[in-house]
Amino acid sequence: MFGFAIVLVVLAVVTLLAALVLRRRSGDAASRRRAARITAASGVGLAGLGILFAALSSFYAQDTGDASVVVSWTGDVLGQEVTPGLHVKAPWSTVETFNVRNQQVVFAGKQATTDYTGGSALGPDITVQDADGVASDIDIAVRYSIRPTSVTTIYRQFRDETNFVSQFITQDIRSTVRDAPNQFTTLELITKRIEVNTAIRTALEQRWRNTGVTVDSVSLQQITPPASVTAAYAAAQNAQIKVTTEQNNLKAAQVSAQQQVVQAEAKAKANDTLNRSLTTNVLKQNYIDTLSKLAASGNVVVVPEGFGGIVNVK
């Protein structure tokens, strides 16, 4: 806007000079004066617009969630502003704004290139190598934010937000995600997602500790090992399921056998108790009682030879 104001002022000066020239030209005096007045009025108007645009260039508005760096026309940093609202600057100074809200960088799928939009980025998945030397693809989303008081330092290094994201944020995330899984085996990389996620976040926080950038969250979305590893892991899982099933069946059989043993022992104990209670006299009395009942019903009873009991057959 200030550049446009300068152009208007230059045009105003040229127009006013043209008005002076018109007044001094030969010819009809009335026509010269009329043309000179019109030209002068145009020059004054252009000068007024130039001054207006120059004045407007002295103010800038800042939204909540933004932080700005004020830069002179020579490229020197004059200061920074972290509060929202309307602010004043020299009309020839420029303002570089950084978004200090929560920003997200996502690496997922097979994107051809990385797209940088503001403080965010979207790029292809990251290939990592685990402790076993197996390469896997990782989809991950990282949320970060810039500390408002650090925008001047960031500006001096990267000049604008796009350079900052492309040259620093995304490069550091890719490097950290490649390094962190090196401490995990292939099986651990597949089965210990929480531990892998924590390792990546911890490494990234340490990497950004003194850079003015805060790690807000790390979300490990998907780990894709080679197809051969996936197939082998699935086969191992199926084998483990079969082993577990057989173990459960064996335990069930053992429990059933134990129950049968307990029941047999209880029955044997009961029979032993009963046998001990059946003395000769008890058996003889039961025999006599049975014969008496049969005789009372009109039945013919055959008494073994040598039986000495007395049976009432009335």
Side-chain angles (χ1 to χ4, degrees):
M1 186 178 292
F2 181 69
F4 186 59
I6 294 297
V7 171
L8 290 175
V9 171
V10 170
L11 289 176
V13 172
V14 172
T15 303
L16 291 174
L17 290 175
L20 292 176
V21 171
L22 287 173
R23 290 178 64 87
R24 293 178 180 179
R25 288 180 61 184
S26 60
D28 181 57
S31 297
R32 292 199 312 270
R33 285 194 298 272
R34 185 168 57 253
R37 285 196 298 269
I38 293 173
T39 306
S42 299
V44 171
L46 290 172
L49 287 175
I51 294 172
L52 176 62
F53 278 105
L56 292 176
S57 299
S58 300
F59 298 91
Y60 68 96
Q62 182 165 288
D63 293 336
T64 302
D66 287 345
S68 301
V69 178
V70 180
V71 185
S72 70
W73 65 276
T74 59
D76 296 327
V77 176
L78 301 178
Q80 68 180 27
E81 187 58 61
V82 298
T83 57
L86 191 64
H87 303 283
V88 180
K89 66 176 183 64
W92 49 83
S93 298
T94 58
V95 177
E96 189 66 42
T97 302
F98 289 84
N99 190 336
V100 296
R101 303 177 186 88
N102 187 280
Q103 300 288 345
Q104 179 171 262
V105 175
V106 178
F107 294 107
K110 299 299 178 184
Q111 306 285 334
T113 58
T114 301
D115 176 40
Y116 306 99
T117 305
S120 299
L122 177 63
D125 55 15
I126 304 172
T127 301
V128 304
Q129 193 172 59
D130 57 40
D132 294 329
V134 176
S136 300
D137 294 330
I138 285 183
D139 291 354
I140 194 168
V142 176
R143 288 188 176 275
Y144 75 94
S145 56
I146 301 173
R147 297 188 193 96
T149 54
S150 300
V151 293
T152 297
T153 302
I154 293 173
Y155 172 80
R156 286 195 173 105
Q157 292 179 325
F158 302 100
R159 292 299 174 183
D160 60 49
E161 197 166 43
T162 299
N163 289 337
F164 171 65
V165 175
S166 62
Q167 299 174 16
F168 179 76
I169 294 295
T170 57
Q171 296 302 320
D172 273 20
I173 292 175
R174 282 190 170 276
S175 178
T176 303
V177 172
R178 288 192 185 102
D179 293 340
N182 292 343
Q183 58 186 297
F184 297 93
T185 64
T186 303
L187 183 59
E188 289 173 340
L189 195 64
I190 297 173
T191 59
K192 296 184 176 181
R193 292 171 56 90
I194 296 177
E195 289 82 351
V196 175
N197 193 93
T198 301
I200 293 174
R201 174 163 186 162
T202 300
L204 196 57
E205 288 174 340
Q206 292 176 351
R207 194 180 188 107
W208 287 351
R209 179 171 297 171
N210 299 315
T211 61
V213 182
T214 300
V215 180
D216 296 316
S217 69
V218 174
S219 177
L220 184 58
Q221 299 177 339
Q222 183 173 329
I223 300 175
T224 307
S228 58
V229 172
T230 304
Y233 179 70
Q237 287 290 94
N238 291 333
Q240 182 61 41
I241 291 173
K242 291 181 180 179
V243 170
T244 302
T245 301
E246 293 301 326
Q247 288 176 342
N248 291 337
N249 292 337
L250 178 60
K251 289 180 180 179
Q254 290 174 342
V255 170
S256 178
Q258 290 173 354
Q259 288 176 343
Q260 292 177 4
V261 170
V262 171
Q263 291 173 356
E265 290 177 348
K267 187 174 182 180
K269 186 176 181 180
N271 290 337
D272 183 62
T273 302
L274 180 61
N275 289 335
R276 285 198 302 270
S277 67
L278 296 176
T279 62
T280 303
N281 291 333
V282 170
L283 291 173
K284 188 174 182 179
Q285 183 60 49
N286 287 340
Y287 184 63
I288 294 171
D289 291 341
T290 301
L291 292 176
S292 298
K293 291 179 181 178
L294 292 173
S297 302
N299 296 303
V300 178
V301 179
V302 179
V303 179
E305 183 179 357
F307 177 67
I310 298 174
V311 179
N312 187 1
V313 292
K314 290 182 180 179

